Amino acid sequence: MAGILAWFWNERFWLPHNVTWADLQSTEEAAFPQAEDLYLAFPLAFCIFMIRLLFERFIAKPCALGLKVQANGPQKAQPNAILEKVFTAITKHPDEKRLEGLSKQLDWDVRSIQRWFRQRRNQEKPSTLRKFCESMWRFTFYLYIFTYGVRFLKKTPWLWNTRQCWSGYPYQPLMPDLHYYYIVELSFYWSLMFSQFIDVKRKDFGIMFTHHIVTVTLITFSYVTNLTRVGTLILCLHDAADIVLEAAKMANYCKCQKLSDLLFLTFAVVFIVSRLGIYPLWILNTTLFELYEALGNFPALWVFNVLLMVLQILHCFWSYLIIKAAYKAISKGKVAKDARSDVESSSDEEETVPRSKAPHSAVATNGTSGANGTNGYLTGATSSEEH
């Protein structure tokens, strides 16, 4: 095991030329990031998750009920042992042949069986109340951590001059505020990594899972190698749009459609400007060019930049979906569907016409935003689902 760890943490891979891990050891004069600091993220992630449960139950839920958010879920299908067995053990979307067989077995018409399966699928959709509570938690956290990040960064020289991210490297002491900021952000993303398996299911689950893995990897290795200055810029930049996104979702769940549309369009502008403008021109510019000029070439540099480019690809994908939704919001006067995947993967519309004749709805995916997600996230007036 020791040999594997020594091979993995090879200095010539992770650090610039003439820099060793010994250079990053804390001394009496100055503290530097240590790999063991990251173990704090796991108990803190559990604490954040527990705080979330308490917040949703004792703060978000009363707020939702006070705002008249619908607490009941979709209409339940009438109990039927045969159909329930087919639904749970065989398929949730029976084909025409199976529908005809069930029709003969139960002496029901096919249309009634189709309706039962739609209602039964909708039964598994989370209630609007649950989605509101989840969004309010994320809104509160993003607002807090973004405010903290801005207050911290406005006092730092690298906010105004990104070349300062590399000045004096690796001898950049770890400030207590920076340490707290990093560990809390890492803990939050770890909590999202695990809670997304029990959260409202999004259609872009795989994309958001990839986003969380990339984010956790970047936070972890940038901390260990003391590339934390540029890391704080990335974290703060990504949190900005998610605040507006979650606010737009809450407005939508409260049926404040005009406010929801206004917030969504604001989110679209903030997301596109920050992720397609500031991120490549500010962040990628300093990691691709200024970092190379200051520290030279080393293998980990390319690993970090590849991961940052993966984030940019996700930004482009989500921006395309957001622009489509924003265009429909402007042309039709309302957001027709989620921007970044607030649609649950198990959701079905309550149809009053056969499926083959149902009107085609807009495609929606996430994503925070995430994200931050990036967590997608507005459900329009005509349909139901970010980071």
Side-chain angles (χ1 to χ4, degrees):
M1 180 62 68
I4 293 175
L5 290 175
W7 170 81
F8 182 81
W9 291 110
N10 186 291
E11 294 170 337
R12 297 285 56 83
F13 179 87
W14 291 105
L15 301 174
H17 185 62
N18 291 331
V19 177
T20 67
W21 292 119
D23 296 324
L24 297 178
Q25 289 298 311
S26 295
T27 65
E28 294 182 359
E29 291 77 22
F32 297 99
Q34 304 298 307
E36 53 266 26
D37 297 344
L38 299 175
Y39 290 126
L40 294 171
F42 295 104
L44 187 55
F46 176 77
C47 291
I48 288 175
F49 180 72
M50 296 307 296
I51 292 171
R52 169 190 169 172
L53 296 181
L54 294 173
F55 178 91
E56 290 186 356
R57 181 170 183 177
F58 296 107
I59 299 178
K61 185 176 180 179
C63 289
L65 296 176
L67 293 169
K68 310 299 183 188
V69 173
Q70 181 180 351
N72 298 326
Q75 179 183 356
K76 292 186 177 182
Q78 68 182 84
N80 185 290
I82 295 175
L83 295 181
E84 184 68 25
K85 184 176 181 180
V86 173
F87 182 88
T88 56
I90 302 176
T91 178
K92 296 181 180 181
H93 298 271
D95 57 23
E96 185 176 344
K97 183 178 180 181
R98 189 176 299 277
L99 287 171
E100 291 176 353
L102 290 170
S103 176
K104 293 177 182 179
Q105 183 178 359
L106 297 172
D107 196 24
W108 287 20
D109 61 85
V110 172
R111 185 69 177 277
S112 296
I113 297 175
Q114 287 178 319
R115 185 179 300 109
W116 188 95
F117 273 92
R118 281 198 301 273
Q119 290 178 342
R120 183 63 181 84
R121 288 193 297 268
N122 285 334
Q123 242 178 261
E124 299 190 341
K125 291 168 56 178
S127 67
T128 303
L129 176 64
R130 180 185 170 191
K131 292 190 286 185
F132 179 93
C133 292
E134 182 180 310
S135 289
M136 187 172 178
W137 159 250
R138 295 187 187 222
F139 169 81
T140 303
F141 179 84
Y142 286 132
L143 180 61
Y144 163 72
I145 203 66
F146 176 73
T147 303
Y148 182 92
V150 169
R151 291 180 62 187
F152 166 69
L153 285 171
K154 70 180 183 180
K155 299 180 292 185
T156 65
W158 61 86
L159 174 64
W160 316 108
N161 180 7
T162 53
R163 291 185 182 275
Q164 290 294 321
C165 290
W166 324 115
S167 177
Y169 183 88
Y171 307 105
Q172 299 171 341
L174 178 64
M175 295 177 285
D177 289 348
L178 190 152
H179 175 259
Y180 172 81
Y181 188 30
Y182 242 75
I183 296 300
V184 171
E185 285 274 22
L186 178 60
S187 301
F188 179 71
Y189 278 103
W190 271 121
S191 72
L192 289 182
M193 283 273 286
F194 297 109
S195 68
Q196 66 179 340
F197 293 99
I198 61 173
D199 286 344
V200 174
K201 210 72 170 180
R202 317 291 183 183
K203 282 192 173 181
D204 65 341
F205 175 87
I207 296 175
M208 286 306 299
F209 190 66
T210 301
H211 175 271
H212 295 334
I213 290 175
V214 171
T215 302
V216 167
T217 303
L218 280 169
I219 293 175
T220 298
F221 290 122
S222 65
Y223 183 85
V224 172
T225 56
N226 203 21
L227 299 174
T228 52
R229 292 187 175 184
V230 71
T232 57
L233 299 179
I234 297 171
L235 290 171
C236 191
L237 182 66
H238 278 73
D239 290 334
D242 290 328
I243 299 171
V244 189
L245 172 62
E246 299 301 337
K249 291 167 65 175
M250 289 191 293
N252 181 71
Y253 299 145
C254 293
K255 300 188 183 302
C256 299
Q257 193 62 44
K258 290 185 178 180
L259 177 60
S260 176
D261 291 349
L262 176 62
L263 287 171
F264 169 72
L265 294 177
T266 303
F267 158 72
V269 172
V270 173
F271 186 93
I272 292 169
V273 169
S274 62
R275 309 293 178 89
L276 297 189
I278 298 175
Y279 181 82
L281 296 178
W282 191 40
I283 301 298
L284 294 182
N285 176 66
T286 193
T287 60
L288 287 171
F289 304 109
E290 294 176 352
L291 171 57
Y292 177 80
E293 292 174 8
L295 305 178
N297 190 17
F298 57 101
L301 180 152
W302 298 105
V303 173
F304 290 130
N305 279 312
V306 166
L307 292 174
L308 292 174
M309 290 301 295
V310 170
L311 287 183
Q312 182 62 4
I313 292 172
L314 294 177
H315 296 164
C316 293
F317 173 73
W318 286 325
S319 296
Y320 166 72
L321 298 173
I322 290 167
I323 290 171
K324 283 181 63 178
Y327 173 77
K328 290 183 178 181
I330 295 171
S331 61
K332 297 183 179 180
K334 62 184 177 182
V335 177
K337 192 113 171 170
D338 261 346
R340 283 195 320 177
S341 94
D342 202 22
V343 182
E344 295 77 23
S345 59
S346 62
S347 66
D348 281 281
E349 297 300 325
E350 281 292 349
E351 300 170 21
T352 58
V353 295
R355 179 176 296 273
S356 61
K357 297 181 181 180
H360 180 69
S361 61
V363 176
T365 181
N366 179 42
T368 114
S369 168
N372 278 165
T374 277
N375 302 196
Y377 293 27
L378 291 180
T379 305
T382 61
S383 61
S384 65
E385 98 200 276
E386 336 197 322
H387 161 301

